[in-house]
Amino acid sequence: MTSNPYPLGLRLHGRRVVVVGGGAVATRRVPALLDAGADVLLVAPELTPALRARADAGRLHWVPRRFVPEDLDGAWLVQVAIDDPIAAASVSAVAAERRIFCVRADDRTAATAWTPAVTRHGPVTVAVLGGGDPRRAMTVRDAIRDLLAVRLAPDAIAGRPDASTGTTGGRQAGRVALVGAGPGDPELITVKGWRLLTEADVVVADRLVPGLLLDELRPDVELVDASKIPYGPSRAQEEINQILVDRALAGAFVVRLKGGDPYVFGRGGEELLACAAAGVPVTVVPGVTSSIAAPAAAGIPVTHRGVAHEFTVVSGHLAPDAPASLVRWDALAGLHGTLVILMGLKNLAAITATLIAHGRSPQTPAAVVQEATTGTQRVLRSTLGEVAADLCAADLRPPAVVVVGDVVGALDG
Ligand SMILES: C[S@@+](CC[C@H](N)C(=O)[O-])C[C@H]1O[C@@H](n2cnc3c(N)ncnc32)[C@H](O)[C@@H]1O
């Protein structure tokens, strides 16, 4: 009869864990051990490039040879990550002699410990054992992960303030997260950004954040629309800063959800400074910026070997001759690489004329990508000399990114 396993959370910080084997299995197992702070000794004649990089970076100790029993001196745990059953059995025999738990990739029935399928949500770790069937464990883990991420009591995960004691059960009360929502496709938010969004009490969102992300919010979340419509009326940044600070000081967890990346023409820096001045802790979660994602979504890599060794992201919201402009368009005209212009449609005729006047060829390929990564994405391909006129004819509108450079045609067959 097989007994049930006894679940434990091992606290491995600073404790020796021996991994025998340097192939694909070890490559998958080692990162979680390092994340737990384990003192990893890797015993293997050869390593995968990923493990080699960690060894070179000093994150683990590598002994480039086969296993000998002394390798287990001082070990708390051993992971056998080799295919050879005879060699694996000899490692686990030494481990058993020394009363060291042994995980075996080659034979779970011979192992004294099993690694669970894991999903992590902030401070919460869920570990699933599938009765010896790793695929069953992963299926259950995935279902739990989806529930935790989307619907199930994010308050319970994060630790909601206890009304009677005012404590937070591990969660910090009164804080702000500046979260990049990505360029438009709701699946392009980061895992961390999504998790924080599910934990928020208040969400302050820009117009350009994917609407579907907001659809998923709990009904009790306060949603503040901080729309900043291009060329239209905009809510003062100071007012947005004040909302972030006021809500956080009142004890709320505020997610400031911004299109793309918060620090790419997103005024995230100003919001961070305002929170810092008020003593509100801030987390910044980078996002996938439209300056790279929009070209990519149109099949344009911003760099390409032999074509462009640099890309420059620039705001076109001010005309080149505007006194307040900080952009050296004359210098940009002298570059060979890729130019990505955000917020540039209104001034595109003046911008392209300036670039051409300072030496960039009018034949340089150019493209405009509107509403990139969404179901309504539109792409216009043209040249630097023609793109402003083509844009009007095609009636493209913001939000759109303009890409200038030979990369525009680099992947065309
Ligand atoms: C205020 S900036 C914010 C940029 C954002 N923080 C980022 O990293 O993508 C707004 C501009 O980003 C560009 N943009 C944002 N989302 C876009 C999308 N889905 N497609 C094309 N351009 C987009 C447009 O140029 C738009 O006018």
Side-chain angles (χ1 to χ4, degrees):
M1 186 183 114
T2 314
S3 308
N4 282 327
Y6 181 76
L8 275 181
L10 297 185
R11 303 180 66 208
L12 293 176
H13 191 87
R15 303 204 158 102
R16 169 61 54 94
V17 176
V18 177
V19 178
V20 182
V25 174
T27 304
R28 281 174 36 213
R29 296 279 179 241
V30 162
L33 293 170
L34 294 176
D35 186 58
D39 168 23
V40 174
L41 177 73
L42 195 49
V43 184
E46 286 176 26
L47 298 184
T48 62
L51 288 171
R52 185 63 193 254
R54 291 177 196 275
D56 289 347
R59 304 268 339 267
L60 51 83
H61 311 282
W62 174 35
V63 189
R65 56 159 169 72
R66 290 179 168 279
F67 173 81
V68 297
E70 292 69 34
D71 289 333
L72 296 195
D73 289 352
W76 293 68
L77 179 70
V78 57
Q79 292 250 1
V80 184
I82 49 181
D83 294 334
D84 176 353
I86 296 171
S90 73
V91 179
S92 64
V94 177
E97 251 170 48
R98 299 180 177 215
R99 305 287 189 267
I100 300 169
F101 279 106
C102 179
V103 180
R104 280 184 57 173
D106 65 307
D107 183 356
R108 296 175 60 78
T109 57
T112 51
W114 289 341
T115 45
V118 171
T119 177
R120 293 187 172 85
H121 298 257
V124 173
T125 300
V126 179
V128 179
L129 293 169
D133 179 348
R135 265 187 296 185
R136 183 193 296 149
M138 279 190 272
T139 305
V140 174
R141 184 271 318 269
D142 290 348
I144 294 172
R145 181 181 56 199
D146 291 351
L147 275 173
L148 289 177
V150 179
R151 304 241 179 260
L152 195 68
D155 311 343
I157 304 165
R160 221 174 186 24
D162 179 325
S164 57
T165 63
T167 60
T168 62
R171 184 179 114 170
Q172 250 180 323
R175 62 193 172 112
V176 168
L178 303 180
V179 175
D185 179 343
E187 294 199 326
L188 286 176
I189 190 171
T190 63
V191 173
K192 184 168 186 174
W194 173 246
R195 177 172 65 75
L196 294 183
L197 195 57
T198 65
E199 294 172 7
D201 302 307
V202 179
V203 173
V204 183
D206 280 346
R207 188 181 74 94
L208 286 183
V209 306
L212 281 180
L213 290 177
L214 305 177
D215 239 26
E216 303 277 357
L217 297 177
R218 298 190 319 274
D220 60 310
V221 172
E222 182 193 359
L223 179 61
V224 179
D225 181 356
S227 290
K228 290 190 273 184
I229 301 161
Y231 319 124
S234 70
R235 194 165 186 166
Q237 185 64 47
E238 291 68 29
E239 198 180 330
I240 295 170
N241 296 350
Q242 202 56 54
I243 290 170
L244 301 180
V245 167
D246 288 350
R247 300 294 197 281
L249 289 179
F253 173 38
V254 186
V255 166
R256 173 69 170 114
L257 192 63
K258 306 171 80 72
D261 180 275
Y263 283 174
V264 178
F265 305 129
R267 306 190 74 165
E270 292 166 55
E271 292 168 3
L272 180 127
L273 290 173
C275 291
V280 171
V282 183
T283 307
V284 180
V285 182
V288 175
T289 173
S290 66
S291 55
I292 298 172
I300 302 167
V302 289
T303 69
H304 194 64
R305 191 159 67 93
V307 177
H309 291 177
E310 91 248 0
F311 65 97
T312 308
V313 179
V314 58
S315 170
H317 76 290
L318 292 176
D321 60 356
S325 174
L326 298 175
V327 181
R328 286 275 313 277
W329 293 100
D330 56 331
L332 293 179
L335 299 176
H336 294 288
T338 309
L339 196 56
V340 182
I341 305 165
L342 271 59
M343 298 178 280
L345 295 199
K346 190 177 68 168
N347 295 314
L348 195 59
I351 288 170
T352 53
T354 305
L355 291 171
I356 292 166
H358 287 93
R360 192 97 196 218
S361 165
Q363 304 309 322
T364 310
V368 181
V369 191
Q370 173 187 313
E371 293 175 80
T373 77
T374 72
T376 48
Q377 172 174 307
R378 292 180 66 195
V379 181
L380 167 74
R381 283 165 185 267
S382 180
T383 61
L384 186 61
E386 304 287 333
V387 68
D390 290 348
L391 173 82
C392 291
D395 193 27
L396 261 62
R397 293 158 188 267
V401 161
V402 181
V403 194
V404 178
D406 291 334
V407 289
V408 167
L411 301 187
D412 294 349

Coordinates of all heavy atoms in Angstrom, one line a residue, residues 183 208 259-261 264-265 289-290 342-343 369 371-372 399-401, ligand 1:
P183 N 0.3 47.5 -25.0 CA -0.1 48.4 -26.1 C -1.6 48.3 -26.5 O -2.1 49.2 -27.1 CB 0.8 47.9 -27.3 CG 1.0 46.4 -26.9 CD 1.1 46.3 -25.5
L208 N -6.0 54.6 -23.1 CA -5.4 53.7 -24.0 C -5.2 52.3 -23.3 O -4.6 51.4 -24.0 CB -4.0 54.2 -24.4 CG -4.1 55.3 -25.5 CD1 -2.7 55.7 -26.0 CD2 -4.9 54.9 -26.7
G259 N -1.2 52.9 -20.4 CA -1.0 52.2 -21.7 C 0.5 52.0 -21.9 O 1.3 52.8 -21.5
G260 N 0.9 50.9 -22.5 CA 2.3 50.6 -22.8 C 3.1 50.5 -21.5 O 2.8 49.8 -20.6
D261 N 4.2 51.3 -21.5 CA 5.1 51.3 -20.3 C 4.9 52.6 -19.6 O 4.8 53.7 -20.2 CB 6.6 51.1 -20.8 CG 7.5 51.1 -19.6 OD1 7.9 52.3 -19.1 OD2 7.8 50.1 -19.1
V264 N 7.4 55.4 -20.6 CA 7.7 55.9 -21.9 C 6.5 56.8 -22.3 O 5.4 56.4 -22.5 CB 7.7 54.7 -22.9 CG1 7.8 55.2 -24.4 CG2 8.8 53.7 -22.6
F265 N 6.8 58.1 -22.2 CA 5.8 59.2 -22.5 C 4.5 58.9 -21.7 O 3.4 59.1 -22.2 CB 5.5 59.3 -24.0 CG 6.7 59.5 -24.8 CD1 7.0 58.8 -25.9 CD2 7.7 60.5 -24.5 CE1 8.1 59.0 -26.7 CE2 8.8 60.7 -25.2 CZ 9.0 59.9 -26.3
T289 N 5.9 48.3 -24.3 CA 5.6 49.6 -24.9 C 5.2 49.6 -26.3 O 5.8 48.7 -27.1 CB 6.9 50.5 -24.7 OG1 6.6 51.8 -25.4 CG2 8.2 49.9 -25.3
S290 N 4.3 50.4 -26.7 CA 3.9 50.5 -28.1 C 5.0 50.8 -29.1 O 5.0 50.5 -30.2 CB 2.7 51.5 -28.3 OG 3.2 52.8 -28.0
L342 N 6.2 58.5 -31.6 CA 4.9 58.4 -31.0 C 4.2 59.8 -31.0 O 4.9 60.8 -31.0 CB 5.1 57.9 -29.5 CG 5.1 56.4 -29.3 CD1 6.2 55.7 -30.1 CD2 5.2 56.1 -27.8
M343 N 2.9 59.8 -30.9 CA 2.1 61.0 -30.9 C 2.5 62.0 -32.0 O 2.5 63.2 -31.8 CB 2.3 61.7 -29.5 CG 1.8 60.8 -28.3 SD 2.1 61.6 -26.7 CE 3.9 61.3 -26.5
V369 N 1.4 52.6 -37.9 CA 0.7 51.5 -37.3 C -0.4 52.0 -36.3 O 0.0 52.6 -35.3 CB 1.6 50.5 -36.6 CG1 0.8 49.2 -36.2 CG2 2.8 50.1 -37.4
E371 N -3.6 51.7 -33.7 CA -4.2 50.7 -32.8 C -3.6 49.3 -32.8 O -4.3 48.3 -33.0 CB -5.7 50.7 -33.1 CG -6.4 52.0 -32.7 CD -7.9 51.9 -33.1 OE1 -8.7 51.4 -32.4 OE2 -8.2 52.5 -34.2
A372 N -2.3 49.4 -32.7 CA -1.5 48.1 -32.8 C -2.0 47.1 -31.8 O -2.3 47.4 -30.7 CB 0.0 48.4 -32.6
P399 N -4.6 56.3 -31.7 CA -3.2 56.2 -31.4 C -2.5 55.4 -32.5 O -2.9 54.4 -33.0 CB -3.1 55.4 -30.1 CG -4.3 54.5 -30.2 CD -5.4 55.3 -30.9
A400 N -1.3 56.0 -32.9 CA -0.6 55.4 -34.0 C 0.9 55.7 -33.8 O 1.3 56.7 -33.2 CB -1.0 55.9 -35.3
V401 N 1.7 54.7 -34.2 CA 3.2 54.9 -34.2 C 3.7 55.0 -35.6 O 3.2 54.3 -36.5 CB 3.8 53.6 -33.5 CG1 5.2 53.5 -33.8 CG2 3.5 53.7 -32.0
Ligands
LIG1 C1 1.1 59.2 -24.2 S1 1.9 58.1 -25.3 C2 2.0 56.7 -24.2 C3 2.9 55.6 -24.7 C4 2.9 54.4 -23.8 N1 3.3 54.7 -22.5 C5 3.7 53.3 -24.4 O1 4.8 52.9 -23.8 O2 3.3 52.7 -25.4 C6 0.6 57.6 -26.4 C7 1.1 57.3 -27.7 O3 1.6 56.0 -27.8 C8 1.3 55.4 -29.0 N2 0.5 54.2 -28.8 C9 0.0 53.7 -27.7 N3 -0.7 52.6 -27.9 C10 -0.7 52.4 -29.2 C11 -1.2 51.4 -30.1 N4 -1.9 50.3 -29.6 N5 -1.0 51.4 -31.4 C12 -0.2 52.4 -31.9 N6 0.3 53.4 -31.1 C13 0.1 53.4 -29.8 C14 0.7 56.4 -29.9 O4 1.7 57.1 -30.6 C15 0.0 57.3 -28.8 O5 -0.3 58.6 -29.3

